[in-house]
Amino acid sequence: MGALLWLLIPLVAGIAASVWAWGTGRRNPSPPDHDTWEDLGRYQRLRTVLSTNGHGARW
């Protein structure tokens, strides 16, 4: 019976960790995560504006 108790301890710890991870997980993404393609487009526009080569240079 003592050997089974040693197997029960990691099982309970694993279940507790799973419940904690599920409870603290993000249910709804924050606003920047809603549309990845829009974020990519915004990044590309910013990169174009800040680039120093050719037509993208503003300064």
Side-chain angles (χ1 to χ4, degrees):
M1 188 66 183
L4 291 177
L5 184 61
W6 281 106
L7 293 175
L8 184 64
I9 292 171
L11 177 67
V12 170
I15 291 172
S18 297
V19 168
W20 175 78
W22 179 78
T24 59
R26 291 171 50 189
R27 300 278 191 297
N28 297 319
S30 60
D33 293 340
H34 281 300
D35 190 3
T36 305
W37 296 112
E38 183 180 324
D39 291 342
L40 181 62
R42 189 178 313 126
Y43 169 74
Q44 291 294 343
R45 287 191 304 271
L46 180 67
R47 191 171 160 201
T48 302
V49 168
L50 295 178
S51 70
T52 57
N53 60 358
H55 68 288
R58 294 253 185 189
W59 327 348

